[in-house]
Amino acid sequence: MGSPLPDANKPDMPSEQITLTYHDGTSRIVYDSGVERPYPDGKLIVSRTDLDGILTHVNDAFVEISGYGVDELISQPQSILRHPDMPKAAYKDLWATAESGQKWHGYVKNLCKDGSHYWVYATVVPNVRHGKTVGYTSVRRKPSRSKIEAAIAQYADMKQNEEG
Amino acid sequence: MTTHNMLIAPDFSPERFAGWHMFNILIQKRANLNMHLNMPASHAEQEALIDAGDIQVIYANPFDAATLIREQGYRAVARPIGKSDEMVIAASANSDINCLEDLTAGSTISMANNRDVKLIGLRLLEAVDLEEADLNWTVTETYQAAARQVIKGDSQAGFFLAEVFHSFSRLTKTQLNVLIESDLADISHVLLIKEDFPDTEILMNAILNLHNDDDGKEALTELGMPQGFEPMSEEDAEFMLDLMETLMD
């Protein structure tokens, strides 16, 4: 998954400190303020990664909502946005699906630089060029509140099973 | 001299009609090519013309570009600068529908026959738990006819190509209330050329340089793309098609 991410900076707002461990064994301290950012109406949040999940392209909407600068995102693992409430199994399914050449859809809670978060409906497609997968494009859309509530419940169950 | 065929996707605003003729006249002069301009009135007519197999240049909407590039031997060579394809969902200003959340299952949507607009509109309605099957659809001949249906209360909302919506008369616009306008930025019409077209370089040279003189600028302004065209690489086009792919379901 590329180079390990440095610990997040402690945000000004009240937040919980959490140590996230990624599937490659690296870990990082992040902060969760519990504050939700509204999805920007009418926009798509777009990024591309290489085969290892390293960001190679981010659009303006991605940069704006993440709270990071473009330079802080490009060449970093996509998992810089990983929220501690997201179950590991969701990402495992995402990567297994995309690596098998299929399209993946799912609801994702993403972590911003300042410890706030936003919900998206994400679609990941492999970028196939001349028969070979060279990277992945991820496009996020605004999910409905009912879908977010369902995902919150489902992910809480999945997390409990992971930890139990 | 051989005459080549250029086709313009039918989803442009009616006021751009003269602009496309100006565009065609200028590039014919500058590239010294005979180009016959095909301006189909509908998507069905566009498909019939392309299927007949003698279209060398297409100004295609992004939805059609996927099939044309990946299955029908065209390649993307240019796109308009700063002119992405956006859509508007609007309700009657006199109705009780003031935001997307006010649209409910069973509502009727009026729209012209444009699959890109429908696709993007449906993606925007996901956020209020509405899917295609939850809605009734009225497909009109033109966006103006769709606007009339919305204003008269025959439908609860209309889907419009943003450029066409913004070209409506002031009177029409005051009777409509924009519920949302897309701001996708990465999706645009593209200029496609058949892979075996022999004069690509000379044609592209004429098109990419249109904005460099007054006559060219005038034609481009008439087309609503005053900055002109920029070259599009194979990778640019593939990226846009990947992006479209994520919106299909």
Side-chain angles (χ1 to χ4, degrees), chain B residues 17-209:
Chain B
F17 193 83
W20 282 113
H21 282 281
M22 287 169 70
F23 173 87
N24 188 39
I25 289 165
L26 275 183
I27 60 166
Q28 285 192 90
K29 263 195 220 162
R30 293 172 186 194
N32 195 26
L33 292 169
N34 277 347
M35 302 291 297
H36 175 69
L37 191 58
N38 295 269
M39 301 179 86
S42 65
H43 186 260
E45 200 182 315
Q46 170 182 299
E47 273 194 330
L49 280 164
I50 294 170
D51 288 347
D54 194 30
I55 304 288
Q56 288 76 41
V57 182
I58 305 178
Y59 185 64
N61 75 40
F63 191 102
D64 295 331
T67 312
L68 291 164
I69 292 171
R70 290 183 171 166
E71 293 170 23
Q72 291 185 253
Y74 290 87
R75 66 188 176 97
V77 289
R79 64 179 154 199
I81 298 170
K83 190 179 164 72
S84 52
D85 283 0
E86 305 294 352
M87 67 85 64
V88 162
I89 304 177
S92 166
N94 289 325
S95 73
D96 295 333
I97 297 166
N98 298 308
C99 60
L100 280 190
E101 284 76 7
D102 293 336
L103 281 174
T104 52
S107 296
T108 299
I109 306 289
S110 294
M111 61 174 295
N113 186 14
N114 183 311
R115 293 177 301 167
D116 296 75
V117 166
K118 187 171 187 180
L119 179 69
I120 297 168
L122 282 170
R123 298 293 80 94
L124 296 175
L125 288 181
E126 283 171 348
V128 292
D129 280 326
L130 290 175
E131 295 179 12
E132 184 168 5
D134 297 324
L135 300 160
N136 301 307
W137 299 88
T138 303
V139 177
T140 53
E141 279 296 306
T142 63
Y143 286 108
Q144 284 75 8
R148 279 194 296 276
Q149 288 190 347
V150 176
I151 292 166
K152 279 168 61 188
D154 294 339
S155 61
Q156 280 66 56
F159 279 14
F160 304 95
L161 192 65
E163 186 188 14
V164 175
F165 182 87
H166 293 300
S167 74
F168 284 162
S169 71
R170 198 182 143 87
L171 177 65
T172 301
K173 278 194 282 191
T174 55
Q175 297 176 85
L176 291 166
N177 178 26
V178 174
L179 305 179
I180 194 166
E181 179 164 358
S182 70
D183 186 14
L184 312 186
D186 291 305
I187 296 172
S188 69
H189 275 53
V190 290
L191 192 75
L192 304 178
I193 292 191
K194 191 84 176 179
E195 277 176 344
D196 58 2
F197 183 66
D199 298 310
T200 300
E201 198 175 330
I202 189 168
L203 178 71
M204 288 312 301
N205 195 37
I207 290 172
L208 294 174
N209 283 304

Side-chain angles (χ1 to χ4, degrees), chain A residues 41-44 46 48 57 59 103 105 123 125-127 129-130 137 139 141-144 146-147, chain B residues 70 123-124 126-129 180-184 186 234-235 238-239 242-243 245-249:
Chain A
D41 273 334
K43 292 184 190 273
L44 295 176
V46 181
R48 300 172 83 182
H57 167 88
N59 76 347
K103 192 194 295 196
H105 291 293
T123 305
V125 291
N127 305 139
R129 305 290 182 262
H130 305 288
T137 293
V139 175
R141 319 198 294 246
K142 182 178 179 177
S144 72
S146 67
K147 297 284 181 5
Chain B
R70 290 183 171 166
R123 298 293 80 94
L124 296 175
E126 283 171 348
V128 292
D129 280 326
I180 194 166
E181 179 164 358
S182 70
D183 186 14
L184 312 186
D186 291 305
E234 184 183 348
E235 180 51 34
E238 289 292 339
F239 173 45
D242 284 336
L243 214 151
E245 176 68 28
T246 72
L247 298 178
M248 296 300 177
D249 48 26

